[in-house]
Structures are given as C-alpha cells and as structure tokens.
C-alpha cells in the first residue's frame, strides 16, 4: 500500500513539472519533457487509483501538485509572495494530509481482503 502512495507523490511531482512546462516550455526539448511528465504523472495516478480510493488519490494528487506549482512559481519564477497565498497553501496541505490520514486505514483493509 505504501508503494501506491509513493506513486501518488511521484505523480504529483511530475504534475508540477508538466504544469510548469505548459507555461514555460518553448523548445521541442522542453515540450517533449512536458509531454513525458504528463504521461508519467497520469500513468502513476491511474496505477495508484486502481488500488487506493480514487477520490482520496485524486485529492492528494491535485493538492500536492497545486501546492508544489505555487511554491515553484515563487521560488523559481519570481512570482509574488503573499502571506495569504502561503496560508492557503498550508491549509491545503493540512487538508490533504488529513484526508490521506483518515482514508489510509480503510483502504488497507480493503486491499487485504482482495
């Protein structure tokens, strides 16, 4: 079960890459990397969703991807830092962690049954 959650986290990392690529890619090599990141991201997400509760997987995937994309925009592309934005990212991450924590045990039981 941990391997599937690791897949979700890796998928979210690739999501950050392809979202950044959609905004900043300008060469064939950058677009190729963006497309590869999309394929890897969705492949890992689909694989994890086949074993874990799909709603939780999608929420964790999009939450981590959103937070990572906003933070990468601030850290690497000079987007403005606003306290409100950081607070909302924190709330988002708390929600994702809480959702994953609450749904982790029932999905493990379901996986043990199959």
């Amino acid at each position: 079960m941990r391997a599937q959650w690791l897949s979700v986290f890796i998928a979210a990392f690739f999501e950050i890459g392809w979202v950044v690529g959609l905004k900043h890619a300008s060469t064939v090599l950058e677009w190729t990397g963006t497309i590869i990141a999309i394929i890897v991201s969705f492949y890992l997400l689909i694989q994890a969703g086949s074993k874990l509760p799909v709603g939780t997987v999608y929420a964790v995937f999009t939450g981590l991807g959103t937070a990572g994309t906003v933070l990468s925009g601030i850290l690497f592309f000079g987007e403005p830092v606003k306290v409100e934005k950081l607070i909302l990212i924190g709330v988002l991450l708390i929600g994702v962690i809480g959702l994953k924590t609450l749904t982790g045990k029932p999905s493990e039981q379901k996986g043990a049954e199959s």
Side-chain angles (χ1 to χ4, degrees):
M1 201 55 59
R2 288 185 182 190
Q4 282 80 28
W5 281 114
L6 181 62
S7 292
V8 175
F9 292 115
I10 295 170
F13 177 77
F14 276 94
E15 180 191 21
I16 296 166
W18 67 256
V19 170
V20 169
L22 290 176
K23 179 170 174 92
H24 297 285
S26 59
T27 66
V28 172
L29 183 62
E30 291 169 345
W31 278 109
T32 302
T34 301
I35 292 168
I36 290 171
I38 290 170
I39 292 168
V40 171
S41 176
F42 280 98
Y43 174 78
L44 292 173
L45 179 67
I46 291 168
Q47 291 299 314
S50 68
K51 304 280 185 190
L52 298 170
V54 69
T56 305
V57 167
Y58 187 68
V60 170
F61 171 75
T62 56
L64 292 176
T66 301
T69 302
V70 170
L71 290 176
S72 67
I74 291 170
L75 294 174
F76 302 118
F77 300 107
E79 292 182 7
V81 179
K82 293 182 179 178
V83 174
E84 299 89 354
K85 189 184 284 188
L86 296 177
I87 290 171
L88 291 172
I89 290 171
V91 170
L92 177 65
L93 290 176
I94 289 169
V96 166
I97 292 168
L99 187 60
K100 193 245 178 243
T101 302
L102 289 176
T103 58
K105 292 183 180 181
S107 66
E108 290 174 2
Q109 292 171 352
K110 182 179 179 184
E113 294 172 0
S114 57

